[in-house]
Amino acid sequence: MSVTDELLANAERYAASFDKGELPLPPAKGVAVVACMDARLNVYGVLGLSEGDAHVIRNAGGVVTADERRSLVISQRLLGTSEIILIHHTDCGMLTFTDDGFKESIHDELGIKPDWSAEAFADLEEDVLQSIARIKADPFIPRKDSIRGFVYEVETGRLREVKA
Amino acid sequence: MSVTDELLANAERYAASFDKGELPLPPAKGVAVVACMDARLNVYGVLGLSEGDAHVIRNAGGVVTADERRSLVISQRLLGTSEIILIHHTDCGMLTFTDDGFKESIHDELGIKPDWSAEAFADLEEDVLQSIARIKADPFIPRKDSIRGFVYEVETGRLREVKA
């Protein structure tokens, strides 16, 4: 049995006790979260979210690239969110390599070099601020009054705010 | 008090009972999930995931764009995942507009037209298959033996597999 099959058995159990079929499309709390994909960062658990509460956008690093800005534009313009929470975390994989080294290793193996940035970073706090700056610079995201960035500590379970 | 402040109070409660500080960086189950950011789709809940189990990548629609491929390359090459689960869902916001109409409305309001695709789609199952096809076509994602796509039913809590 693959891991996917094992998780599908969990999904059947979830459906069997499901009682949230009437929730509306727009997030009840008007918040969009942009977080790292890291397995140890349980966004619902940490922020105490329930089904229907918030948009959750995640990728490698929790960095803001064009696709996160696309998601935020849709979240705010079509579904009414107005606050943004960014979450990076300690012991992040993005701190363990450089773009140049990663692309060179792929080039060595495949003979093709990625024509994109892997978005590696050397400083967590600095990258949180960089992600906030990218949102602020986007002309299509309308609501920028509440954009706050955090580092989640995988060792302690704590969320620490990053201020410029 | 902003909603963000309310969620930060939840985060303090999470940290107070936290006991998972020793988990390793690579996901225990070797799985990466690509899902829509929709507030009603609780990926941890549906799949029965715990902290440390799986990478979770999310955006508007759960579509596969360049940034999801970047995240999957990092997930597989640096952190050892080998199975991919894609989740779209019923009543998705992406079904409610067209790229052309969305960009035209922004153009009308701001005088600038987005130079990117909003990735709207008209057919859920077709877009799940499109997302799988984009992963299969990527030269930098090494493991493609287990890529399975699903539609989550927000009305019933059920996960329905999409097959070509």
Side-chain angles (χ1 to χ4, degrees):
Chain A
M1 192 163 91
S2 69
V3 173
T4 299
D5 286 319
E6 181 195 314
L7 299 183
L8 291 179
N10 293 343
E12 283 182 27
R13 277 189 288 276
Y14 179 84
S17 63
F18 184 76
D19 61 358
K20 295 168 179 123
E22 304 293 326
L23 295 169
L25 210 170
K29 296 200 178 290
V31 172
V33 181
V34 180
C36 184
M37 69 179 180
D38 189 276
R40 296 162 297 180
L41 173 50
N42 175 358
V43 174
Y44 270 59
V46 171
L47 298 179
L49 297 172
S50 295
E51 283 84 345
D53 280 349
H55 283 147
V56 181
I57 300 158
R58 304 184 65 170
N59 68 8
V63 299
V64 170
T65 74
D67 194 52
E68 287 63 50
R69 296 196 297 274
R70 174 187 71 86
S71 294
L72 288 169
V73 169
I74 290 169
S75 176
Q76 292 200 349
R77 290 189 171 269
L78 296 181
L79 297 162
T81 66
S82 56
E83 298 184 34
I84 299 173
I85 296 174
L86 300 166
I87 309 180
H88 285 38
H89 65 92
T90 56
D91 195 37
C92 186
M94 307 301 285
L95 295 161
T96 65
F97 66 95
T98 64
D99 266 32
D100 284 347
F102 185 58
K103 295 207 274 195
E104 205 47 49
S105 74
I106 291 176
H107 189 185
D108 288 347
E109 182 189 324
L110 302 180
I112 318 174
K113 189 169 169 180
D115 55 359
W116 35 266
S117 168
E119 294 287 340
F121 48 79
D123 184 293
L124 271 177
E125 280 75 10
E126 202 177 276
D127 199 76
V128 170
L129 297 175
Q130 175 60 221
S131 290
I132 292 175
R134 288 180 180 184
I135 293 172
K136 287 193 173 159
D138 189 284
F140 304 112
I141 298 172
R143 301 185 194 104
K144 299 174 179 173
D145 288 340
S146 182
I147 308 172
R148 291 169 66 183
F150 301 86
V151 169
Y152 172 73
E153 299 177 351
V154 296
E155 303 82 7
T156 66
R158 276 196 208 99
L159 214 50
R160 159 163 48 90
E161 185 152 14
V162 179
K163 303 209 176 189
Chain B
M1 193 163 90
S2 68
V3 173
T4 298
D5 286 319
E6 180 195 317
L7 299 183
L8 291 179
N10 293 343
E12 282 180 26
R13 276 188 289 276
Y14 180 84
S17 63
F18 184 76
D19 61 359
K20 296 170 178 121
E22 304 292 327
L23 294 170
L25 210 172
K29 296 201 178 290
V31 172
V33 181
V34 180
C36 184
M37 69 179 180
D38 190 276
R40 296 162 297 179
L41 174 49
N42 175 358
V43 174
Y44 270 59
V46 172
L47 298 179
L49 296 173
S50 294
E51 284 84 344
D53 280 349
H55 283 147
V56 181
I57 300 158
R58 303 184 66 170
N59 68 8
V63 299
V64 170
T65 76
D67 194 51
E68 286 63 50
R69 295 196 297 274
R70 174 186 72 84
S71 294
L72 288 170
V73 169
I74 290 169
S75 176
Q76 292 201 349
R77 290 189 170 269
L78 297 181
L79 297 162
T81 65
S82 57
E83 297 183 34
I84 299 172
I85 295 174
L86 300 167
I87 309 179
H88 285 38
H89 64 93
T90 55
D91 195 38
C92 186
M94 307 300 284
L95 294 161
T96 65
F97 65 95
T98 64
D99 267 32
D100 284 347
F102 186 59
K103 295 206 275 195
E104 204 48 49
S105 74
I106 291 176
H107 189 185
D108 287 348
E109 182 188 326
L110 302 180
I112 319 174
K113 190 170 169 180
D115 55 359
W116 36 265
S117 168
E119 296 286 342
F121 48 78
D123 184 294
L124 271 178
E125 281 76 10
E126 202 177 277
D127 199 76
V128 170
L129 297 176
Q130 177 59 221
S131 291
I132 292 175
R134 288 181 179 182
I135 293 173
K136 287 193 174 160
D138 189 283
F140 305 114
I141 299 172
R143 301 185 195 103
K144 298 174 179 173
D145 287 342
S146 182
I147 308 171
R148 291 168 66 183
F150 301 86
V151 169
Y152 173 74
E153 299 177 350
V154 296
E155 303 83 5
T156 66
R158 278 197 206 97
L159 214 50
R160 161 165 44 94
E161 186 152 13
V162 179
K163 303 210 176 189

